[in-house]
Amino acid sequence: MRIFRKIGLRATAEDVLRLRAHGIQVSTGQIVVEIDEASPHWPEIESMIKGRVGFESVRTEFTADEIRSAHWLKLFPTWHHGYPQPEDSYVQEAYSSDGHCRRCGIVPSQVAPFRMRAEPKWGRRSVMQLNWIFDEFFVRRDVWDERFAPLGFAALEVIHHKTGRPLETVLQWDLRSSDAAVLQMSDSTATYCEACERPKYLPHVRGCFPGFTHRSTLPPTVYRSAQWFGSGASARRAILIPQHVRHALGGEDVRGWGYYPVCEG
């Protein structure tokens, strides 16, 4: 496991000299660099940029062995394509109106199919997410028939917005009946929405994903997290799968999502 810090700042001539001394080739002006926190250069760089960072993000990278040895994994997208239609009212059309909060973005259950502008441009990819819809996956139909359907998973048609007909190459993985798993979030602080008073956590980006509260009693199937994640008006629940499901769905051959090991403790 490696943790990377991406930082953006306005570099001075002195910054450029110091960063180049650490093997980071930049020029003066606005820069964005990514550094492994395990690098021997990171402590000095961190001290140099303290209080001056205009943009900062963290990501964790796991080895293939760490992913293959994890009992549970959280899915994350590696490809977003297009937007739900109609862009200005898809929430009202796809979700129940009961419990939707415009302030924090928490939405109730889905009651109608999502609509897309056109068929996805799949290339060699198998799964995707729509922008703005960060806890639903859409699957290429032939991959669904080969990998997902034999496992008994349910699917929803995706509608072509202009014609109202089902699209031919894409299905939505229907997780509406998935049970909610409570995660151990004692190391994270929830923010409570001023409007609906429901809690939400910032997206988890450092280390393994928070584990289950009662992992030993959970049947090995697909879960959504009971907790919501996101910031601003964006909210999503994590999708968690056991290792045997990852393998049955194709493992590394599935292009369009990645795997984040879930903590065992």
Side-chain angles (χ1 to χ4, degrees):
M1 178 178 72
R2 300 169 67 190
I3 297 176
F4 293 87
R5 189 83 65 91
K6 181 179 285 187
I7 53 175
L9 75 158
R10 184 165 293 281
T12 65
E14 182 181 355
D15 294 331
V16 169
L17 290 175
R18 295 176 68 179
L19 289 170
R20 287 180 178 177
H22 292 299
I24 301 173
Q25 300 302 315
V26 295
S27 302
T28 55
Q30 194 65 37
I31 64 168
V32 177
V33 296
E34 188 173 61
I35 306 165
D36 187 341
E37 287 189 357
S39 167
H41 305 298
W42 171 242
E44 184 177 342
I45 294 172
E46 183 178 32
S47 175
M48 180 185 80
I49 64 175
K50 187 175 181 179
R52 301 174 49 212
V53 174
F55 164 84
E56 184 174 12
S57 66
V58 176
R59 70 177 179 92
T60 303
E61 186 178 284
F62 296 92
T63 66
D65 285 342
E66 288 171 327
I67 292 171
R68 284 192 292 263
S69 64
H71 290 96
W72 289 88
L73 301 128
K74 180 236 177 191
L75 296 176
F76 68 89
T78 60
W79 183 45
H80 289 94
H81 178 73
Y83 293 85
Q85 300 297 312
E87 293 182 19
D88 58 352
S89 61
Y90 74 91
V91 172
Q92 292 86 345
E93 297 203 11
Y95 295 100
S96 166
S97 59
D98 225 8
H100 171 227
C101 180
R102 293 179 179 272
R103 176 70 64 86
C104 68
I106 290 178
V107 294
S109 59
Q110 182 182 345
V111 295
F114 284 106
R115 305 171 78 92
M116 292 185 185
R117 188 181 299 275
E119 300 282 356
K121 300 183 185 302
W122 291 105
R124 300 176 64 189
R125 292 173 286 250
S126 307
V127 298
M128 57 162 280
Q129 280 192 344
L130 285 166
N131 288 289
W132 303 341
I133 310 294
F134 300 125
D135 55 3
E136 302 291 350
F137 281 100
F138 299 85
V139 185
R140 208 173 69 206
R141 192 178 289 264
D142 62 319
V143 174
W144 179 271
D145 292 341
E146 179 184 351
R147 297 285 187 175
F148 287 73
L151 297 181
F153 291 125
L156 289 171
E157 296 283 2
V158 181
I159 305 302
H160 183 221
H161 183 52
K162 185 175 182 179
T163 65
R165 299 191 184 98
L167 289 168
E168 295 182 357
T169 69
V170 59
L171 291 167
Q172 180 190 349
W173 188 9
D174 184 4
L175 297 174
R176 291 177 298 174
S177 63
S178 297
D179 288 335
V182 179
L183 305 180
Q184 298 178 7
M185 302 299 297
S186 56
D187 293 334
S188 303
T189 302
T191 299
Y192 286 80
C193 177
E194 295 178 357
C196 70
E197 299 184 342
R198 284 175 288 187
K200 189 169 68 174
Y201 295 85
L202 288 174
H204 185 84
V205 294
R206 182 181 291 275
C208 59
F209 194 75
F212 300 110
T213 302
H214 302 292
R215 182 172 71 89
S216 61
T217 63
L218 290 176
T221 185
V222 177
Y223 293 90
R224 289 187 188 271
S225 63
Q227 292 94 337
W228 290 85
F229 297 84
S231 60
S234 174
R236 74 211 69 163
R237 288 175 293 171
I239 300 172
L240 308 154
I241 66 171
Q243 181 66 237
H244 76 87
V245 170
R246 183 192 81 90
H247 180 73
L249 291 179
E252 294 88 349
D253 293 336
V254 178
R255 299 190 179 190
W257 69 26
Y259 309 98
Y260 210 109
V262 173
C263 300
E264 295 289 329

